Amino acid sequence: KQWYQRRVRGDDFGTLHILEVPWSLRQPSANEVANMSAYFDRECSRIDYYKEREANRPSAGAGPSEPAIPLPLETDEEEEERLKKSFNSYLNMEKDFLVKLGLKRDDEPVALVH
C-alpha cells in the first residue's frame, strides 16, 4: 500500500485543488542541511566581498582635477551642410535600390538637395 501526502486547498470560486507532494520534497536529501548552510555562507561572503570592493572603488567624481576639454560645436551652416550630404547620400542609395528592383531607370536624375 502506497502512502501519498496531499495538500488540499479551496479557492474563492469554490474549486477544490488537490496537490500531491512528491517524496523528494517531503524527505530531506542526504546532507541537504549542510549543503544549504554552505550555500548561504558563500552568498554572505560574496555580498561582503562586493560591499568591500565598492567601498574601495574610487567614486565617479574623483577623477583627475584637470578640466575636461569641450568638443567644438558645429555652426548652423556646418550642421546643415552635413545633413544635406547625408540626405543626398540616402537619395543616391534609394535610386540604386529602385534601379536594382527595376522600378526606375538608371538614366533618370536624382533630385539632390543643394
Side-chain angles (χ1 to χ4, degrees), residues 8-98:
V8 179
R9 182 180 174 274
D11 61 13
D12 293 337
F13 300 108
T15 304
L16 187 65
H17 300 275
I18 301 172
L19 303 170
E20 200 169 302
V21 180
W23 183 84
S24 61
L25 295 178
R26 286 183 278 139
Q27 298 295 324
S29 63
N31 299 327
E32 183 174 6
V33 173
N35 290 338
M36 290 308 295
S37 293
Y39 170 76
F40 287 124
D41 290 341
R42 284 192 311 268
E43 285 299 305
C44 289
S45 65
R46 184 184 67 83
I47 290 171
D48 292 340
Y49 167 76
Y50 279 104
K51 284 181 181 177
E52 181 181 329
R53 183 177 164 190
E54 188 65 31
N56 293 335
R57 181 177 287 176
S59 64
S65 60
E66 300 173 8
I69 300 172
L71 297 174
L73 299 175
E74 291 182 324
T75 63
D76 289 341
E77 293 81 17
E78 291 172 339
E79 181 182 14
E80 187 175 344
E81 187 63 32
R82 181 181 55 81
L83 291 174
K84 281 181 185 179
K85 285 181 183 178
S86 176
F87 187 66
N88 287 337
S89 172
Y90 164 76
L91 290 175
N92 285 323
M93 286 189 330
E94 181 185 37
K95 178 191 171 206
D96 293 342
F97 182 69
L98 292 174

Side-chain angles (χ1 to χ4, degrees), residues 98-110:
L98 292 174
V99 168
K100 286 180 184 177
L101 289 176
L103 299 174
K104 194 170 190 174
R105 292 191 320 261
D106 194 27
D107 59 345
E108 291 182 36
V110 177

